[in-house]
Amino acid sequence: MTTIEDTITNQKVRLIDYSITAEIYRAESLIPLDLFSRNVDAYVIAKFSGNKVKTDTVTGLNPEWNKALKIGTGVPNKSKYLYL
């Protein structure tokens, strides 16, 4: 006799393609770490489920990107967090 658990575990798990969109607007009052420069070369990296995307590099202490980063992912996965 086949149980429900056997039926579920014997089936192949189908991976469904999805994406997460992170909207990146701006940063404010960044502190330059280079002693000889008064600017910051800023960018944002978003990581989720082993995938990584990056914004363009913007120079300045108050950089603005106004971009949407689209990160492809599959469901199901074990990731819980979006890292920026």
Side-chain angles (χ1 to χ4, degrees), residues 28-75:
E28 296 178 357
S29 304
L30 297 179
I31 299 170
L33 299 177
D34 186 1
L35 298 175
F36 302 108
S37 175
R38 297 206 174 165
N39 279 325
V40 174
D41 296 330
Y43 56 89
V44 176
I45 296 175
K47 296 179 185 179
F48 182 79
S49 184
N51 296 321
K52 177 171 71 169
V53 291
K54 179 182 175 279
T55 63
D56 296 330
T57 301
V58 178
T59 302
L61 299 179
N62 299 307
E64 290 190 20
W65 294 278
N66 296 320
K67 297 279 182 179
L69 296 178
K70 190 172 186 179
I71 306 166
T73 184
V75 174

Side-chain angles (χ1 to χ4, degrees), residues 2 4 6-7 12-13 16 26 28 30 37-38 43 46 55-56 61-62 69 71-72 74-75 78-81 83:
T2 305
I4 294 175
D6 291 335
T7 304
K12 291 184 178 181
V13 176
I16 302 170
R26 67 177 176 271
E28 296 178 357
L30 297 179
S37 175
R38 297 206 174 165
Y43 56 89
T55 63
D56 296 330
L61 299 179
N62 299 307
L69 296 178
I71 306 166
V75 174
K78 294 182 180 183
S79 297
K80 292 183 182 179
Y81 303 103
Y83 295 96

